[in-house]
Amino acid sequence: MRLIIAEKPSLARAIADALPGGGKRQEGAIVCGDTTVTWCLGHLLEQAPPEAYDPADKQWRLDRLPIVPDTWQLAPRSKARGQLAVIRKLIKQATSVVHAGDPDREGQLLVQEVIEYLKYRGPVQRLLISDLNRPAVSRALASLRPNAEFQPLFQAAQARSRADWLYGINLTRAWTLTGRQAGHDGVLSVGRVQTPVLGLIVRRDNSIRDFKPHPFYPLWVDLQVAQGQLRAWWAPKAHQPLDEQGRLIDRTPADALAAQLPGARGTLTTLDQQEKRQAPPLPYSLSALQVDAARRFGLSAQMVLDICQRLYEQHKLITYPRSDCRYLPEEHLALAQRSLSGACQNDDTLRGWLNGADFTLRSKAWNDKQVGAHHALAPTGKPADVSQLSATEGHVFRLIVRNVMAQFYRPLRTFEVKAEFTLLNEAFRARGQSILDPGWKPLFTTREDTPPLPPLTQGEACQALAAGVEEKETRPPEPFTDASLIKAMMNIGRYVDDPNVRRTLRDTDGLGTEATRAGIIETLVQRGYLVRQQKALRATKLGCALIAALPSAVSTPERTALWEQRLRAISEQQDDPNAFQQALLEDLRALLSQSDAARLRHSLQTAQGEVGGPAKRSGATKKSYTRRKSTGSKTATGSRSSTAGKRRTRRTTD
């Protein structure tokens, strides 16, 4: 008997539908002739707690840190024991096993750890499915690969799981116990991703709080040129009183110049005119979709992830959503017209877009070299039953279809003009844009970003008609929202001061992964470190206090981003998991030595945040906190057992 182990029931059903043999259901499995398909429920196993290695570590004590297992152990998750028993029984009867976890690092770990935990020693093949449509599943079943090819990916995932356990268990215990000494009765959880994310928000909130506005004075002049009128803005010279952005901060010279300008004559001294072509935005990765859906519809990152899971698993309208890729396989190009036509059948907006598409075009989105374990989000081609979709599901589905549809629209062509005029020996600048061909733009917006200028000729004369000075004030940074925070996590190198590290991080995945970013934000909210104020995410007093008390290296992004880089190197056989763990242990010991009750007491007393006193925002004592293992909340490791509610139980530690 061949046994296929899928990551979750929806994937198992899709596999069974594509197999011959009818698909006879039994407890925890589907029998299809000589093949049986069973499934996990997300992670069936988790890292064993500290007391599994030494009973003395059930009690939280500073003198027991760091806790480092000699031989790592896994334990069944309490709610997964029944399904694990089903797989145990089936795997004993199997002559071969097919690993059908999701095609990513965590999916590789999730199923393979079960196979190894149950001590199966027979042949194992790997089934990679990113699209639940029957034709796609059938193609995948015909292209099985040896699971051994994915051993480096498993080792990277295993290294991540163990390292997160070490980091979360030891730092959470250290700062919680230090917090007790400082008078705080509650758990202070620390995680290798969640804490730097909290640090981003705390530092942004501090910048907003400490911001001191100052006025600045832009000067405009309306000019008559040969074929019309335009408005230009003064570009003050360096000897004027300017701020770091080149803005005039003393009104006196602006008023003096404005008084002289009416009637003054000048010349167009510099003219830069060029036609530009802009390709359509690429299809979505999950994070890119979360950013756009937050901006356009006010949806939280977690809401977008949950909607995508329903569109993928329940409605089967989109391909695998937890993707970090924005490119599509080249073989999908030939199928695109059919899949888009199917997706647009029952929606007037989508049909309108479909009518304008030119399927003879090929954009840069179709590129096998850019596609890894996943490809970009795309419609499967199944017609959407609008009556079965909620309003938000419809919104997100249209966004996904739109970005794929845009690949069959012409580029946006614009004519852009930058002009500099000289009057009274001063420079005045104007810019404009004309749309030559809107191309894909109407699918996204009908607004023109920059109005056009009248036709201009290098060296032509101009005359000032009127001038004026506006009084404006500098504004503080905007607080983070779901959209801007996800974008910051994707592009974390922008928040790193060290230029060498910034260069290193330029091409990495940033903080968290496509699958975990939404859950990280929700975890910080649930733990009382963040609150939502309309669309803004603001740090609480407890969140501010924790960041102030921790070593800066724990709350800044450099370590965790470089950590992800090492995990990627392990998956590519360019690094060693043992060396990675040893480096982490050295780092941990240094961090543990910096826990300081006096510093924490001071930060708890002086922290400024949006709501909640520090001692009342933790939401748990140590006893209640450790009990949460069975409820889908974070355990004391700082790890997460659910990112999308009770439905999905994949566990990733952050």
Side-chain angles (χ1 to χ4, degrees):
M1 181 261 286
R2 180 176 68 163
L3 179 65
I4 299 178
I5 305 176
E7 178 165 329
K8 48 192 173 292
S10 59
L11 180 59
R13 289 192 296 270
I15 294 169
D17 288 344
L19 289 168
K24 180 182 177 182
R25 296 189 66 91
Q26 62 182 46
E27 183 184 359
I30 306 171
V31 179
C32 304
D34 62 353
T35 297
T36 298
V37 185
T38 187
W39 53 83
C40 300
L41 302 168
H43 278 282
L44 301 182
L45 303 168
E46 61 186 354
Q47 292 294 337
E51 57 268 27
Y53 300 101
D54 189 333
D57 284 323
K58 187 170 185 177
Q59 182 180 5
W60 291 26
R61 290 170 46 186
L62 282 171
D63 62 358
R64 298 285 298 178
L65 303 181
I67 300 169
V68 183
D70 292 326
T71 303
W72 288 89
Q73 300 178 29
L74 294 172
R77 294 173 57 81
S78 58
K79 291 187 177 182
R81 292 181 184 276
Q83 188 60 21
L84 187 63
V86 170
I87 300 174
R88 185 192 304 272
K89 179 180 177 181
L90 292 171
I91 210 167
K92 288 179 179 178
Q93 306 167 25
T95 55
S96 67
V97 167
V98 177
H99 177 318
D102 282 349
D104 58 11
R105 191 172 73 193
E106 202 64 23
Q108 187 65 35
L109 175 70
L110 192 150
V111 175
Q112 187 166 337
E113 67 183 1
V114 170
I115 295 170
E116 295 193 358
Y117 179 79
L118 297 177
K119 297 182 171 56
Y120 176 75
R121 296 290 181 263
V124 181
Q125 293 177 294
R126 186 65 163 99
L127 174 61
L128 299 169
I129 295 175
S130 59
D131 184 340
L132 294 187
N133 262 9
R134 182 178 293 188
V137 176
S138 296
R139 288 195 298 272
L141 283 164
S143 306
L144 298 178
R145 296 163 62 181
N147 188 60
E149 292 181 11
F150 300 87
Q151 186 65 14
L153 192 65
F154 171 73
Q155 290 175 334
Q158 188 180 63
R160 192 277 312 154
S161 177
R162 292 173 175 178
D164 276 333
W165 189 95
L166 290 167
Y167 196 83
I169 284 283
N170 287 292
L171 294 186
T172 294
R173 288 193 175 199
W175 259 264
T176 297
L177 294 169
T178 302
R180 285 185 177 183
Q181 296 173 359
H184 176 73
D185 184 21
V187 170
L188 293 175
S189 66
V190 181
R192 59 105 181 177
V193 176
Q194 60 159 303
T195 306
V197 171
L198 176 61
L200 282 177
I201 295 172
V202 169
R203 286 186 287 275
R204 173 65 60 86
D205 284 356
N206 290 344
S207 297
I208 295 169
R209 182 195 67 211
D210 299 338
F211 181 80
K212 292 182 172 55
H214 68 263
F216 65 98
Y217 305 96
L219 184 159
W220 55 265
V221 58
D222 287 339
L223 299 176
Q224 179 71 53
V225 293
Q227 298 190 55
Q229 296 180 8
L230 57 86
R231 175 163 289 188
W233 298 85
W234 182 33
K237 295 173 183 174
H239 67 268
Q240 299 286 1
L242 307 177
D243 65 10
E244 293 178 353
Q245 305 297 319
R247 297 172 295 204
L248 189 71
I249 57 177
D250 182 355
R251 181 165 187 152
T252 304
D255 284 336
L257 180 57
Q260 301 174 53
L261 278 168
R265 295 181 179 276
T267 304
L268 174 52
T269 48
T270 304
L271 180 62
D272 180 9
Q273 302 182 103
Q274 54 182 308
E275 181 179 326
K276 290 192 174 181
R277 293 166 60 91
Q278 185 177 345
L282 290 167
Y284 284 118
S285 64
L286 175 60
S287 290
L289 176 63
Q290 287 169 321
V291 169
D292 275 7
R295 288 174 174 168
R296 198 172 177 92
F297 304 115
L299 301 176
S300 73
Q302 186 65 52
M303 290 171 68
V304 177
L305 175 56
D306 291 346
I307 288 167
C308 284
Q309 284 298 137
R310 292 196 297 273
L311 291 173
Y312 171 61
E313 296 180 358
Q314 178 182 337
H315 302 293
K316 295 183 174 60
L317 292 175
I318 65 170
T319 57
Y320 180 75
R322 295 172 179 245
S323 172
D324 60 356
C325 178
R326 300 197 67 176
Y327 292 85
L328 293 166
E330 293 171 18
E331 70 169 3
H332 283 208
L333 179 59
L335 306 172
Q337 183 171 2
R338 186 173 64 187
S339 64
L340 286 170
S341 297
C344 298
Q345 271 186 32
N346 301 321
D347 187 281
D348 291 340
T349 299
L350 294 178
R351 278 201 303 268
W353 292 345
L354 181 66
N355 291 336
D358 180 355
F359 288 97
T360 66
L361 300 176
R362 173 172 176 158
S363 78
K364 63 180 181 180
W366 316 95
N367 188 338
D368 287 344
K369 293 180 180 178
Q370 296 289 344
V371 176
H374 311 294
H375 58 68
L377 279 68
T380 60
K382 179 183 176 183
D385 184 347
V386 180
S387 66
Q388 298 299 312
L389 297 182
S390 68
T392 52
E393 286 171 344
H395 291 328
V396 171
F397 179 63
R398 288 186 194 96
L399 288 180
I400 293 168
V401 174
R402 180 200 65 181
N403 272 43
V404 177
M405 185 82 71
Q407 309 313 309
F408 299 101
Y409 274 70
R410 296 182 304 278
L412 167 66
R413 289 175 51 236
T414 58
F415 186 68
E416 300 192 7
V417 180
K418 296 178 183 178
E420 182 173 304
F421 299 85
T422 301
L423 295 89
L424 304 177
N425 293 318
E426 296 289 342
F428 297 84
R429 293 172 182 159
R431 60 187 307 169
Q433 181 188 83
S434 302
I435 294 180
L436 303 177
D437 182 349
W440 53 266
K441 190 76 170 178
L443 275 64
F444 292 76
T445 180
T446 56
R447 177 175 54 87
E448 288 192 23
D449 295 329
T450 307
L453 298 178
L456 297 170
T457 305
Q458 176 78 38
E460 72 174 273
C462 64
Q463 183 175 11
L465 303 175
V469 178
E470 296 182 1
E471 182 172 347
K472 295 189 175 183
E473 192 173 68
T474 55
R475 300 175 62 182
E478 294 289 333
F480 277 114
T481 62
D482 276 74
S484 60
L485 184 57
I486 288 285
K487 195 167 185 178
M489 293 167 76
M490 292 166 64
N491 302 286
I492 197 61
R494 298 177 184 177
Y495 299 86
V496 172
D497 294 328
D498 187 321
N500 294 322
V501 176
R502 193 184 308 124
R503 277 194 298 273
T504 302
L505 296 178
R506 192 169 296 153
D507 298 323
T508 64
D509 291 334
L511 280 176
T513 66
E514 305 294 318
T516 63
R517 287 178 184 134
I520 289 162
I521 296 172
E522 294 308 313
T523 292
L524 290 169
V525 172
Q526 291 163 9
R527 291 184 175 172
Y529 294 147
L530 298 180
V531 290
R532 279 194 170 89
Q533 296 183 339
Q534 296 179 333
K535 291 185 179 181
L537 289 163
R538 308 301 295 265
T540 63
K541 292 180 180 180
L542 179 63
C544 293
L546 179 61
I547 294 303
L550 286 166
S552 61
V554 177
S555 65
T556 51
E558 287 88 340
R559 171 187 282 102
T560 189
L562 291 171
W563 189 350
E564 278 297 321
Q565 197 173 47
R566 286 200 73 172
L567 291 172
R568 177 183 288 185
I570 292 170
S571 71
E572 295 172 354
Q573 296 182 284
Q574 297 173 2
D575 203 342
D576 177 64
N578 293 326
F580 170 65
Q581 181 172 309
Q582 287 306 311
L584 169 63
L585 290 175
E586 292 177 14
D587 205 12
L588 262 180
R589 291 186 177 95
L591 293 173
L592 291 170
S593 69
Q594 298 178 57
S595 60
D596 185 331
R599 180 179 176 181
L600 182 54
R601 184 183 300 110
H602 177 74
S603 69
L604 290 166
Q605 292 170 349
T606 61
Q608 299 183 50
E610 287 305 308
V611 295
K616 296 183 180 181
R617 293 297 299 175
S618 69
T621 63
K622 179 178 77 67
K623 184 176 180 180
S624 66
Y625 191 70
T626 54
R627 271 191 200 141
R628 291 183 184 176
K629 275 187 175 182
S630 62
T631 66
S633 300
K634 283 263 190 173
T635 68
T637 64
S639 66
R640 174 169 62 79
S641 61
S642 176
T643 62
K646 295 180 180 179
R647 169 183 52 76
R648 185 170 180 87
T649 56
R650 166 181 290 194
R651 180 172 181 265
T652 51
T653 312
D654 303 309

